[in-house]
């Protein structure tokens, strides 16, 4: 069978060869999504196969409820307090190393490895495998493991399939390509059960999440003739609805789903700033460039930021201006 990621075979082999006898902490970005959880626990299993002495997974936040059934008997350790200097860090799905957790970053300033698919990644790891064309870090990681001839357990096949399915919104994003399906097919052959994965992801919703969604929908407003749809999570909404922060994942997709909407946004006030999620219908809008204006980043059609020092009132008009410019820019003919 042909190799899926021939250009990264050498680097991945270097990583596998380098972990023998080592202790590795696999870190993912804060407020992890499906791709992040999938990639963290899948890489942990691969590094154990490669002879690592001990592998743990660390994250600033716990495993979100929807992904709990994908981690088996594994645990997620708290990144804020993880301070064992005998470990080295491998970061996955982190557009920016700082997104693992500020204090973990300071304690481990020189990560061993970084595996990611964000176009904005400027990794300074010893081994960096970054492919912005990969639809998900899980697609890249699955491909690397298949190419390297590693064993893919049924559990890891389900995990990696879940990472791809979530980051591609069930194989519908612009980043979904032939290689995405090919990798998913190979995972199914290795034991992934697509309908089991779908039940875990889409038929275990908690009622509180629906109430959170309802609160977000109430705030939605259309701007610029219906091309931008923006809404926010009102202060105290988690307590009111009984939901939790992880439940906000995916809400912005509802704003984007409206006919005629080209860019969608979800804003959430934090203690000392505002978190923003941006989505566009196509990559033309480069919402990652808007996110970068607030110190964030991500992909051309899906990006995010945490704008420190802002409030909803100060951020909202600024974002309106930037979104308007992105819409106008997208209207211009390109060479
Ligand atoms: P979300 O809106 O779901 O939080 O994030 C969308 C995409 O943007 C994800 O790929 C995520 O990794 C990236 N992203 C979200 N927040 C940030 C941020 O603060 N910095 C960077 N560099 N990327 C982010
Ligand atoms: Mn991802």
């Amino acid at each position: 069978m042909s190799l899926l990621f021939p250009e990264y075979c050498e680097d991945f082999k270097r990583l596998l060869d380098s972990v023998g006898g080592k202790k590795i902490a696999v870190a993912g970005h804060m407020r992890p999504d499906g791709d992040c959880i999938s990639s963290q626990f899948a890489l942990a299993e691969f590094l154990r196969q490669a002879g690592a002495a001990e592998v743990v997974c660390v994250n600033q936040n716990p495993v979100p409820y929807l992904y709990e059934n994908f981690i088996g008997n594994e645990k997620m350790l708290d990144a804020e307090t993880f301070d064992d200097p005998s470990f080295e860090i491998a970061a996955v799905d982190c557009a920016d190393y700082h997104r693992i957790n500020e204090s973990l970053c300071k304690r481990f300033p020189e990560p061993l490895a970084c595996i990611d698919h964000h176009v904005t990644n400027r990794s300074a790891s010893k081994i960096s495998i970054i492919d912005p064309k990969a639809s998900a870090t899980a697609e890249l990681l699955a491909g690397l493991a298949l190419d390297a001839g590693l064993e893919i357990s049924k559990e890891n096949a389900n995990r990696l399939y879940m990472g791809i399915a979530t980051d591609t919104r069930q194989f519908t994003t612009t980043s979904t390509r032939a290689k995405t399906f090919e990798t998913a097919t190979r995972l199914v052959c290795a034991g992934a059960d697509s309908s089991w994965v779908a039940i875990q992801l889409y038929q275990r919703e908690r009622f509180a999440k629906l109430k959170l969604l309802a609160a977000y929908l109430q705030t939605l407003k259309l701007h610029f003739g219906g091309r931008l749809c923006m809404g926010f999570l009102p202060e105290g909404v988690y307590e009111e609805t009984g939901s939790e922060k992880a439940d906000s994942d995916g809400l912005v997709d509802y704003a984007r789903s409206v006919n005629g909407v080209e860019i969608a946004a979800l804003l959430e006030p934090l203690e000392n700033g505002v978190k923003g999620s941006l989505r566009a219908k196509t990559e033309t809008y480069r919402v990652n460039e808007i996110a970068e204006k607030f110190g964030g980043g991500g992909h051309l059609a899906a990006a995010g930021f945490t704008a420190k020092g802002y409030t909803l009132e100060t951020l909202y008009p600024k974002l309106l201006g930037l979104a308007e410019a992105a819409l106008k820019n997208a209207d211009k003919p390109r060479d």
Side-chain angles (χ1 to χ4, degrees), residues 113-144:
C114 165
I115 300 180
D116 186 32
H117 70 134
H118 291 94
V119 68
T120 48
N121 196 314
R122 308 271 175 272
S123 160
S125 301
K126 287 170 208 144
I127 300 170
S128 293
I129 304 177
I130 298 158
D131 186 351
K133 290 204 209 71
S135 68
T137 300
E139 178 192 312
L140 175 60
L141 184 57
L144 293 170

Side-chain angles (χ1 to χ4, degrees), residues 71-93:
I71 72 163
N73 296 324
E74 301 254 1
K75 275 194 306 236
M76 185 71 94
L77 304 184
D78 181 9
E80 184 67 32
T81 53
F82 184 80
D83 62 357
D84 186 336
S86 63
F87 278 78
E88 288 192 65
I89 304 280
V92 291
D93 201 38

Side-chain angles (χ1 to χ4, degrees), residues 95-96 99 118 249 275 277-279 295-299 302-306:
D96 174 344
R99 295 198 73 225
H118 291 94
D249 194 31
K275 177 173 161 46
S277 283
L278 304 173
R279 298 291 185 273
H299 309 286
F305 59 83
T306 300

